[in-house]
Amino acid sequence: MIRSVQAAQRLDSRGHPTVQVDLTTDRGTFRAIVPSGASTGANEAIELRDGDNSAYGGQGVQKAVSNIRLVIGPALVQSGLKVDTDQRMIDCLLKHLDGTKNKSKLGANAILGASMACARAGAAHAGIPLYEFLRRESGAKKPFVMPVPFFNVLNGGVHSGNKMAFQETMIAPVGASSFTEAVQMGCEVYQKLKKVIVEKYGTSATGIGDEGGFAPPISQPHEALDLLVQAVSLAGYSGRIKFAIDPASSEFFKDGNYDIGFKDDKPNLQSSKQLTDLYRSLLQNYPIVLLEDPFAETDWDSWTEFNKECPVELVGDDLLVTNTKYVQEANEKRACNSMLLKINQIGTISEAIEAANLAYSFDWSVFVSHRSGETTDDFIADLVVGLRTGHLKSGAPCRGERVAKYNRLMDIEADLLGKGEKCLYAGSQFRVASKC
């Protein structure tokens, strides 16, 4: 039984306030800290902010905290729902308490914190790890599959101060034999990349963006990819590490065109066709295996046209916002073949699982993601294993809030192997891990 639910305002990785929830049962107190995004989709569940410019420039979350203390907490205590068996009913109650389509009344940040804390408590009450609790909630099969980590090692877009329009350039160690080896490979390439950047641009160019990736003075995607080719080669992993790109194109879409010079003094407008040609050129010349948000969330026609002959995983983020409504629409329009899963886009763990399972039913992939405003909460590490998604992105192998997820995943791998339980590494099969 839930005895009490408390909340407090704490900080995310950018120094912005976020919500922390402490849920107490007769087994102890279980904590969750909610992430926050910088590049956000227009249809995401609403993150409730105070708007009081006298504190944190209006970014405070005391309203959300108060909603947990005065509304959500008492309702959960009075409900009598059991954390080990009633996660879906708990999440339904949270949605009902809010009563809006986008969780704008109580705030998705308040609701998600309670949902995450309940899941942690549920795992403890069931006497199982969180990843096993989430596996049972989702109905995923065994054996467990450890994901390929997609490390965002070069930052751009709204995540950094350089002139690169594309937000993320990632490396994926698909040729590793285990998750632990994949982390080692990613870390070694990251350090080689730092040396390459110093040699080419000087020490001052090794500043990092929101997600721990370097942000050197580059502006073109081929410049970023050339840096990765060199770093991977120097680390001795050519052929074993693939690349991925997240342009986050909604951020530079305006009046039907894409301004890939939006961070520069000179606009560089591209039509959808010109941008398509750029992507196709990059796919032909570099070992790219995943492309996320290549077009804006409202540019459905470009998504559908590109997907007709897309040779790689085509991931919808702003397009889908982890919402079954938009996943359904994208499937009907044949707009993409993969869903990015961000738990704070939808607001409850049950709804996130429902969206993932719907994507799987369409024979899509599911790609779990952190947010630019992250916390040290490692919930999504258990989620990616529990849902068998086969890959996740949690930033560079740098900054505590990013590394926390990678460390947790290495702990999970060691835990499974230590118990003698079969444990696969997704590797080159990351797109179809749910079927392995």
Side-chain angles (χ1 to χ4, degrees):
M1 300 287 286
I2 299 171
R3 290 183 173 177
S4 69
V5 183
Q6 299 298 322
Q9 179 172 269
R10 295 295 181 259
L11 298 178
D12 70 17
S13 58
R14 298 169 302 174
H16 291 170
T18 191
V19 175
Q20 176 177 288
V21 176
D22 287 312
L23 182 142
T24 300
T25 72
D26 56 359
R27 300 288 179 89
T29 298
F30 305 90
R31 174 169 291 175
I33 314 178
V34 179
S36 173
S39 172
T40 57
N43 296 310
E44 289 191 22
I46 299 299
E47 182 180 71
L48 188 61
R49 297 282 176 178
D50 296 340
D52 177 5
N53 289 326
S54 68
Y56 289 104
Q59 293 296 304
V61 292
Q62 294 292 6
K63 290 180 180 178
V65 167
S66 179
N67 287 338
I68 294 169
R69 292 173 175 168
L70 302 179
V71 181
I72 292 174
L76 286 174
V77 171
Q78 293 168 14
S79 72
L81 292 171
K82 299 179 179 179
V83 290
D84 53 341
T85 60
D86 298 337
Q87 181 73 37
R88 293 182 189 179
M89 286 189 283
I90 287 170
D91 289 340
C92 282
L93 172 61
L94 295 173
K95 288 170 58 182
H96 177 73
L97 287 172
D98 179 86
T100 68
K101 291 183 178 180
N102 58 5
K103 300 180 177 65
S104 57
K105 181 181 178 182
L106 299 178
N109 42 351
I111 291 170
L112 178 60
S115 180
M116 292 168 66
C118 283
R120 277 215 169 90
H125 276 249
I128 55 177
L130 179 57
Y131 59 83
E132 170 63 9
F133 179 83
L134 295 170
R135 184 194 72 79
R136 295 181 186 182
E137 287 294 312
S138 70
K141 64 179 182 179
K142 286 187 176 182
F144 288 105
V145 177
M146 297 304 300
V148 174
F150 278 62
F151 298 101
N152 178 13
V153 294
L154 286 170
N155 289 185
V158 298
H159 288 177
S160 76
N162 63 8
K163 294 182 178 181
M164 170 66 74
F166 287 12
Q167 189 163 278
E168 302 177 10
T169 309
M170 297 169 269
I171 55 173
V174 298
S177 60
S178 67
F179 182 82
T180 300
E181 185 187 18
V183 169
Q184 177 183 335
M185 292 168 67
C187 289
E188 290 174 1
V189 170
Y190 184 75
Q191 296 304 324
K192 292 295 184 184
L193 179 60
K194 183 176 183 179
K195 292 181 179 180
V196 170
I197 291 171
V198 168
E199 290 175 2
K200 191 164 186 176
Y201 301 106
T203 305
S204 62
T206 58
I208 60 174
D210 283 352
E211 298 184 353
F214 298 113
I218 57 177
S219 61
Q220 301 301 315
H222 70 83
E223 293 178 288
L225 293 163
D226 286 341
L227 288 173
L228 294 191
V229 168
Q230 188 176 355
V232 169
S233 177
L234 287 173
Y237 293 126
S238 296
R240 298 180 65 193
I241 289 182
K242 304 298 183 182
F243 301 160
I245 301 175
D246 173 15
S249 56
S250 291
E251 297 293 337
F252 50 89
F253 181 67
K254 186 177 181 180
D255 299 328
N257 288 303
Y258 294 87
D259 182 9
I260 61 175
F262 83 103
K263 298 175 69 178
D264 205 343
D265 296 330
K266 300 178 181 178
N268 184 355
L269 298 180
Q270 303 279 306
S271 66
S272 293
K273 185 182 184 306
Q274 288 174 310
L275 198 58
T276 293
D277 291 341
L278 173 59
Y279 293 140
R280 295 204 184 283
S281 174
L282 295 175
L283 292 175
Q284 289 174 0
N285 292 299
Y286 299 94
I288 297 168
V289 294
L290 182 150
L291 187 59
E292 178 188 331
D293 273 8
F295 303 103
E297 60 197 301
T298 57
D299 192 5
W300 285 94
D301 290 343
S302 295
W303 278 92
T304 299
E305 186 62 31
F306 190 82
N307 192 35
K308 288 178 181 178
E309 297 181 2
C310 182
V312 300
E313 182 173 344
L314 184 59
V315 185
D317 176 13
D318 291 347
L319 188 75
L320 307 175
V321 293
T322 318
N323 189 313
T324 56
K325 174 184 175 181
Y326 302 108
V327 172
Q328 184 71 49
E329 183 177 358
N331 181 65
E332 292 169 358
K333 294 181 176 179
R334 300 293 186 265
C336 58
N337 57 41
S338 180
M339 182 193 84
L340 196 72
L341 192 162
K342 291 175 174 174
I343 52 178
N344 82 316
Q345 283 183 328
I346 192 63
T348 69
I349 300 306
S350 296
E351 288 173 285
I353 291 173
E354 182 184 4
N357 284 338
L358 180 62
Y360 285 150
S361 75
F362 297 144
D363 207 26
W364 287 13
S365 306
V366 174
F367 188 28
V368 171
S369 174
H370 61 162
R371 297 310 300 254
S372 59
E374 257 302 332
T375 75
T376 50
D377 193 306
D378 55 16
F379 190 98
I380 63 169
D382 285 75
L383 185 70
V384 71
V385 175
L387 270 58
R388 235 169 178 252
T389 70
H391 50 326
L392 93 159
K393 60 174 183 174
S394 184
C398 170
R399 298 180 54 135
E401 75 280 357
R402 316 295 159 182
V403 173
K405 282 71 167 174
Y406 299 130
N407 283 342
R408 172 58 183 158
L409 283 161
M410 287 190 284
D411 286 343
I412 291 173
E413 186 172 64
D415 179 45
L416 291 169
L417 294 174
K419 292 188 293 189
E421 190 158 353
K422 188 176 181 181
C423 173
L424 306 175
Y425 175 64
S428 61
Q429 301 299 303
F430 63 89
R431 289 183 64 178
V432 294
S434 64
K435 303 175 185 177
C436 293

